[in-house]
Amino acid sequence: MDIESQKIYERGRRLVKELEVLISNYQKLKFYINAQDDVPALYLKQASSMRDYIDILLERIKKTCY
């Protein structure tokens, strides 16, 4: 693997790792939100933002060449 291909591969791996961490945190937040009766609006906004970022990371991963 040449240096350029290695850089692309490593960038893709970093994106996948970031996505894994984000999904884990998103699931924890959603579990908390679903378990509560009175959820602060800020938590709902954070969950929405996290979902948007998950979608962005998925698009970035799709465009990474392996």
Side-chain angles (χ1 to χ4, degrees):
M1 183 180 312
D2 63 353
I3 293 174
E4 188 62 34
S5 296
Q6 189 173 3
K7 286 180 182 179
I8 292 170
Y9 175 78
E10 288 301 319
R11 183 172 53 242
R13 289 295 307 147
R14 284 193 309 270
L15 290 173
V16 169
K17 183 63 178 167
E18 184 177 354
L19 180 63
E20 290 172 355
V21 171
L22 181 60
I23 288 174
S24 175
N25 291 338
Y26 175 75
Q27 288 174 330
K28 290 174 191 172
L29 179 60
K30 287 298 284 185
F31 180 80
Y32 175 79
I33 289 171
N34 291 335
Q36 301 298 314
D37 292 331
D38 186 27
V39 179
L42 188 57
Y43 289 167
L44 298 173
K45 187 174 181 180
Q46 180 181 357
S48 176
S49 296
M50 291 172 82
R51 182 66 235 182
D52 292 342
Y53 191 47
I54 288 170
D55 293 339
I56 290 168
L57 283 176
L58 287 171
E59 283 299 314
R60 289 178 64 194
I61 290 169
K62 285 180 189 176
K63 294 179 181 178
T64 302
C65 300
Y66 291 98

